[in-house]
Amino acid sequence: MSTASASLTIRGIDIDVVYKNIKNLHIGVYPPSGRVRVAAPHQLDDEQVRLAVIQRLPWIREKREQLRSAARQSVREMVTGESHYVWGVRRRMKVVERPGRAHFELDGERLLLYVQAGTTAEQRRALLDRWCREQLRHVIPDLIAKWEPVLEVSVPRWNIKRMKTKWGSCNRETGHIWFNVELSKKHPSCLEYVVVHEMVHCLERNHGERFIELMERFMPNWRILRDRLDEAPLAEEEWA
């Protein structure tokens, strides 16, 4: 049997529902913002799914709060040995103190930071933020140019900023799109998914049936990419 999709809002929480040929209902809560996704058997209807979700609301709210807190933890000290993600690859940082211009370089699986002696952790974090934005600025224009003729959508302006609960946002009236700087840590396919997702919002404001139809028409594997994005680590981790 084929899959079917629906969107529900239950007590202020948006729920993505996918009906599949499965036996049991499954509820998942995904980072970074606590997106709720339900996989339900075909024999259940929207009302039955709604009742099942209501029964699990305390657990859902607890998981959402945990994820939102986790996304803001783990402040990097910016020292040798820390791990940082660049385009989905986990890299060990090495700090090299020497005179000259401060900058980052990729060296195999290492992320090299060249700085003058005495720079503070805050200054190094600012350098990393600037470098991550540069990585995105090199890639995003080509992705937008690729999808503008496909979607027949014009993106007159886009910017990068740090967002706590969204990977991107779109002003449908102006076509202005914002991208989360954290996307520089994700696999490039995840960034392309967000570009398409936000550009489709220029055609459809909400995440309803028309939005899903458009995503499936232009990017059939969008759910796989969405799940890859949500399941990838958001905050940096210590090496085990």
Short mmCIF file of all heavy atoms in Angstrom, two decimals, residues 163-190:
data_model
loop_
_atom_site.label_atom_id
_atom_site.label_comp_id
_atom_site.label_asym_id
_atom_site.label_seq_id
_atom_site.Cartn_x
_atom_site.Cartn_y
_atom_site.Cartn_z
N MET A 163 19.87 30.63 14.52
CA MET A 163 18.50 30.41 14.97
C MET A 163 18.46 29.22 15.91
O MET A 163 19.13 28.22 15.67
CB MET A 163 17.57 30.19 13.77
CG MET A 163 17.42 31.40 12.88
SD MET A 163 16.26 31.14 11.49
CE MET A 163 17.39 30.43 10.27
N LYS A 164 17.67 29.31 16.98
CA LYS A 164 17.65 28.25 17.99
C LYS A 164 16.69 27.12 17.65
O LYS A 164 16.89 25.99 18.09
CB LYS A 164 17.26 28.84 19.35
CG LYS A 164 18.33 29.77 19.93
CD LYS A 164 17.90 30.27 21.31
CE LYS A 164 18.97 31.17 21.91
NZ LYS A 164 18.58 31.67 23.25
N THR A 165 15.62 27.40 16.90
CA THR A 165 14.59 26.38 16.70
C THR A 165 14.25 26.12 15.24
O THR A 165 13.36 25.32 14.96
CB THR A 165 13.29 26.79 17.44
OG1 THR A 165 12.81 28.03 16.91
CG2 THR A 165 13.54 26.93 18.93
N LYS A 166 14.91 26.79 14.29
CA LYS A 166 14.59 26.60 12.88
C LYS A 166 15.87 26.45 12.07
O LYS A 166 16.88 27.07 12.37
CB LYS A 166 13.79 27.78 12.34
CG LYS A 166 12.40 27.95 12.93
CD LYS A 166 11.69 29.12 12.28
CE LYS A 166 10.28 29.29 12.81
NZ LYS A 166 9.58 30.43 12.16
N TRP A 167 15.79 25.66 11.01
CA TRP A 167 16.90 25.56 10.07
C TRP A 167 16.84 26.66 9.03
O TRP A 167 17.85 27.02 8.44
CB TRP A 167 16.89 24.20 9.38
CG TRP A 167 17.14 23.05 10.29
CD1 TRP A 167 16.27 22.05 10.62
CD2 TRP A 167 18.35 22.77 11.02
NE1 TRP A 167 16.86 21.16 11.50
CE2 TRP A 167 18.13 21.59 11.75
CE3 TRP A 167 19.58 23.41 11.11
CZ2 TRP A 167 19.11 21.03 12.57
CZ3 TRP A 167 20.56 22.86 11.92
CH2 TRP A 167 20.32 21.68 12.65
N GLY A 168 15.65 27.20 8.81
CA GLY A 168 15.49 28.28 7.84
C GLY A 168 14.15 28.93 8.03
O GLY A 168 13.27 28.41 8.72
N SER A 169 13.96 30.10 7.40
CA SER A 169 12.67 30.77 7.43
C SER A 169 12.53 31.59 6.16
O SER A 169 13.51 31.99 5.55
CB SER A 169 12.53 31.67 8.66
OG SER A 169 13.48 32.72 8.63
N CYS A 170 11.28 31.81 5.76
CA CYS A 170 11.00 32.51 4.51
C CYS A 170 9.90 33.52 4.70
O CYS A 170 8.86 33.21 5.31
CB CYS A 170 10.60 31.49 3.43
SG CYS A 170 10.06 32.24 1.88
N ASN A 171 10.13 34.73 4.21
CA ASN A 171 9.09 35.75 4.14
C ASN A 171 8.43 35.63 2.77
O ASN A 171 9.02 36.02 1.76
CB ASN A 171 9.67 37.15 4.36
CG ASN A 171 8.61 38.22 4.41
OD1 ASN A 171 7.66 38.23 3.63
ND2 ASN A 171 8.75 39.14 5.35
N ARG A 172 7.23 35.07 2.74
CA ARG A 172 6.59 34.77 1.47
C ARG A 172 6.29 36.03 0.67
O ARG A 172 6.31 36.02 -0.57
CB ARG A 172 5.29 33.99 1.72
CG ARG A 172 4.63 33.45 0.47
CD ARG A 172 3.58 32.42 0.83
NE ARG A 172 2.94 31.89 -0.37
CZ ARG A 172 1.75 32.27 -0.80
NH1 ARG A 172 1.08 33.19 -0.13
NH2 ARG A 172 1.22 31.74 -1.89
N GLU A 173 6.02 37.14 1.35
CA GLU A 173 5.69 38.38 0.66
C GLU A 173 6.90 38.99 -0.05
O GLU A 173 6.78 39.51 -1.17
CB GLU A 173 5.09 39.40 1.64
CG GLU A 173 3.64 39.12 2.02
CD GLU A 173 3.50 37.89 2.90
OE1 GLU A 173 4.43 37.59 3.67
OE2 GLU A 173 2.46 37.20 2.78
N THR A 174 8.05 38.92 0.58
CA THR A 174 9.25 39.55 0.01
C THR A 174 10.17 38.55 -0.67
O THR A 174 11.06 38.95 -1.43
CB THR A 174 10.05 40.29 1.10
OG1 THR A 174 10.54 39.33 2.06
CG2 THR A 174 9.16 41.31 1.83
N GLY A 175 10.00 37.25 -0.38
CA GLY A 175 10.90 36.24 -0.93
C GLY A 175 12.23 36.18 -0.20
O GLY A 175 13.15 35.48 -0.63
N HIS A 176 12.36 36.89 0.92
CA HIS A 176 13.60 36.92 1.70
C HIS A 176 13.71 35.63 2.52
O HIS A 176 12.80 35.29 3.27
CB HIS A 176 13.60 38.14 2.61
CG HIS A 176 14.89 38.35 3.33
ND1 HIS A 176 15.11 39.42 4.15
CD2 HIS A 176 16.04 37.64 3.35
CE1 HIS A 176 16.32 39.35 4.66
NE2 HIS A 176 16.91 38.27 4.17
N ILE A 177 14.83 34.93 2.36
CA ILE A 177 15.04 33.67 3.07
C ILE A 177 16.22 33.81 4.03
O ILE A 177 17.24 34.41 3.70
CB ILE A 177 15.30 32.51 2.09
CG1 ILE A 177 14.07 32.27 1.21
CG2 ILE A 177 15.69 31.23 2.84
CD1 ILE A 177 14.26 31.20 0.17
N TRP A 178 16.06 33.24 5.23
CA TRP A 178 17.12 33.18 6.22
C TRP A 178 17.55 31.73 6.41
O TRP A 178 16.71 30.83 6.45
CB TRP A 178 16.65 33.73 7.57
CG TRP A 178 16.37 35.20 7.56
CD1 TRP A 178 15.19 35.82 7.30
CD2 TRP A 178 17.32 36.24 7.84
NE1 TRP A 178 15.32 37.18 7.39
CE2 TRP A 178 16.62 37.47 7.71
CE3 TRP A 178 18.67 36.25 8.16
CZ2 TRP A 178 17.25 38.69 7.91
CZ3 TRP A 178 19.29 37.47 8.37
CH2 TRP A 178 18.58 38.67 8.24
N PHE A 179 18.86 31.51 6.54
CA PHE A 179 19.39 30.17 6.77
C PHE A 179 20.16 30.15 8.09
O PHE A 179 20.90 31.08 8.41
CB PHE A 179 20.34 29.77 5.64
CG PHE A 179 19.67 29.67 4.30
CD1 PHE A 179 19.78 30.69 3.38
CD2 PHE A 179 18.91 28.55 3.98
CE1 PHE A 179 19.17 30.61 2.15
CE2 PHE A 179 18.28 28.46 2.74
CZ PHE A 179 18.41 29.49 1.82
N ASN A 180 19.98 29.06 8.84
CA ASN A 180 20.67 28.89 10.11
C ASN A 180 22.15 28.60 9.86
O ASN A 180 22.50 27.72 9.08
CB ASN A 180 20.03 27.73 10.88
CG ASN A 180 20.48 27.65 12.32
OD1 ASN A 180 21.57 28.09 12.67
ND2 ASN A 180 19.65 27.07 13.17
N VAL A 181 23.03 29.33 10.54
CA VAL A 181 24.47 29.15 10.38
C VAL A 181 24.89 27.72 10.72
O VAL A 181 25.90 27.21 10.21
CB VAL A 181 25.25 30.17 11.24
CG1 VAL A 181 25.05 29.92 12.72
CG2 VAL A 181 26.73 30.15 10.88
N GLU A 182 24.09 27.02 11.57
CA GLU A 182 24.41 25.64 11.93
C GLU A 182 24.38 24.69 10.74
O GLU A 182 24.91 23.58 10.81
CB GLU A 182 23.43 25.15 13.00
CG GLU A 182 23.59 25.81 14.36
CD GLU A 182 24.79 25.27 15.11
OE1 GLU A 182 24.90 24.04 15.26
OE2 GLU A 182 25.63 26.06 15.55
N LEU A 183 23.77 25.12 9.64
CA LEU A 183 23.71 24.25 8.45
C LEU A 183 25.10 23.96 7.89
O LEU A 183 25.27 22.98 7.16
CB LEU A 183 22.83 24.89 7.39
CG LEU A 183 21.32 24.83 7.67
CD1 LEU A 183 20.57 25.76 6.73
CD2 LEU A 183 20.81 23.40 7.54
N SER A 184 26.08 24.78 8.19
CA SER A 184 27.44 24.52 7.72
C SER A 184 28.02 23.26 8.35
O SER A 184 29.02 22.73 7.88
CB SER A 184 28.35 25.72 8.04
OG SER A 184 28.46 25.89 9.45
N LYS A 185 27.39 22.78 9.42
CA LYS A 185 27.85 21.56 10.09
C LYS A 185 27.20 20.31 9.52
O LYS A 185 27.61 19.20 9.86
CB LYS A 185 27.57 21.66 11.59
CG LYS A 185 28.23 22.85 12.27
CD LYS A 185 27.83 22.94 13.72
CE LYS A 185 28.44 24.17 14.39
NZ LYS A 185 28.04 24.29 15.80
N LYS A 186 26.18 20.48 8.70
CA LYS A 186 25.39 19.35 8.21
C LYS A 186 25.87 18.88 6.85
O LYS A 186 26.58 19.58 6.15
CB LYS A 186 23.91 19.73 8.15
CG LYS A 186 23.38 20.32 9.45
CD LYS A 186 23.63 19.42 10.64
CE LYS A 186 23.20 20.07 11.92
NZ LYS A 186 23.53 19.24 13.10
N HIS A 187 25.42 17.70 6.45
CA HIS A 187 25.75 17.18 5.12
C HIS A 187 25.20 18.13 4.06
O HIS A 187 24.11 18.70 4.22
CB HIS A 187 25.14 15.79 4.96
CG HIS A 187 25.62 15.07 3.75
ND1 HIS A 187 25.06 15.26 2.50
CD2 HIS A 187 26.62 14.17 3.58
CE1 HIS A 187 25.68 14.50 1.62
NE2 HIS A 187 26.63 13.82 2.24
N PRO A 188 25.93 18.35 2.96
CA PRO A 188 25.46 19.28 1.93
C PRO A 188 24.06 18.99 1.42
O PRO A 188 23.32 19.92 1.06
CB PRO A 188 26.50 19.11 0.82
CG PRO A 188 27.75 18.68 1.52
CD PRO A 188 27.28 17.84 2.67
N SER A 189 23.66 17.72 1.38
CA SER A 189 22.30 17.40 0.93
C SER A 189 21.24 17.96 1.87
O SER A 189 20.13 18.28 1.43
CB SER A 189 22.13 15.88 0.81
OG SER A 189 22.30 15.24 2.07
N CYS A 190 21.59 18.09 3.14
CA CYS A 190 20.66 18.69 4.11
C CYS A 190 20.46 20.17 3.82
O CYS A 190 19.33 20.68 3.92
CB CYS A 190 21.17 18.49 5.53
SG CYS A 190 21.26 16.76 6.06
#
